[in-house]
Amino acid sequence: MRDELYSIARSEFAEDLIFEIGDRSVVLSIKGLLIARADREGYNFSFFEVTETETVLAVQVKGFIVYIAIESDEELDEEEYAGVGKALLEHLTPKIALLVTKAEKEYRGKADILLDDGMSPELKEFFYSILAKHRQGKSPYEQTEVA
């Protein structure tokens, strides 16, 4: 079963995307993909800034979270994130739905990295940290204590 998920990851996600932002073109390269079971069902998304040019988009669909590692050819301004995020979600949602639909039917694991296409050390560290947290049943989000 995992082979089918790897195949979907390679065929659907291993790509470079070009977006027009204002008067310039920005190239976003998908470098990694991780799928993990979520604690509850729902729909949500988050961005995690890993470096100035590397971001992880986490999309929760039903009982899964799909983490997508994205590398930009240049740093994006904060106000550009909304437009880029919208364009990314529009482009990637059908692909994420395909992956999650297949995973719902047959995937039994807690979390797996499905695509690792030349990720930087920082992205790898982020992905393996998320992978370990999911496999241990811990929340992938940092917890802070009230003083």
Side-chain angles (χ1 to χ4, degrees):
M1 172 56 212
R2 242 188 271 173
D3 290 342
E4 289 181 56
L5 293 180
Y6 286 117
S7 177
I8 291 170
R10 280 258 169 248
S11 65
E12 297 292 327
F13 291 91
E15 63 183 345
D16 291 339
L17 307 168
I18 301 172
F19 293 106
E20 296 297 323
I21 301 174
D23 58 348
R24 65 185 176 116
S25 295
V26 176
V27 178
L28 302 177
S29 301
I30 297 178
K31 296 294 188 178
L33 185 80
L34 184 150
I35 189 167
R37 291 196 176 275
D39 291 338
R40 59 188 184 284
E41 290 202 8
Y43 298 88
N44 202 346
F45 71 93
S46 301
F47 283 96
F48 299 91
E49 187 175 309
V50 178
T51 68
E52 291 177 349
T53 58
E54 297 171 319
T55 304
V56 173
L57 170 62
V59 180
Q60 181 176 347
V61 178
K62 299 183 181 178
F64 290 92
I65 302 173
V66 177
Y67 296 89
I68 304 166
I70 301 164
E71 182 180 79
S72 174
D73 64 341
E74 57 187 270
E75 186 177 354
L76 299 175
D77 295 332
E78 261 189 58
E79 55 272 359
E80 294 174 324
Y81 268 104
V84 170
K86 182 180 181 212
L88 273 171
L89 287 169
E90 286 174 358
H91 180 76
L92 294 175
T93 296
K95 298 169 186 253
I96 294 167
L98 173 67
L99 184 71
V100 168
T101 298
K102 183 57 95 174
E104 277 183 311
K105 293 177 183 172
E106 301 174 27
Y107 181 66
R108 301 291 172 246
K110 286 186 179 182
D112 277 292
I113 293 176
L114 301 177
L115 178 65
D116 175 353
D117 191 12
M119 286 194 293
S120 71
E122 293 83 5
L123 279 175
K124 281 185 181 185
E125 181 180 339
F126 182 88
F127 257 44
Y128 283 100
S129 170
I130 292 290
L131 177 67
K133 287 178 182 178
H134 277 288
R135 286 190 173 171
Q136 295 167 359
K138 296 179 180 178
S139 171
Y141 302 100
E142 295 295 322
Q143 301 294 319
T144 56
E145 293 183 29
V146 177

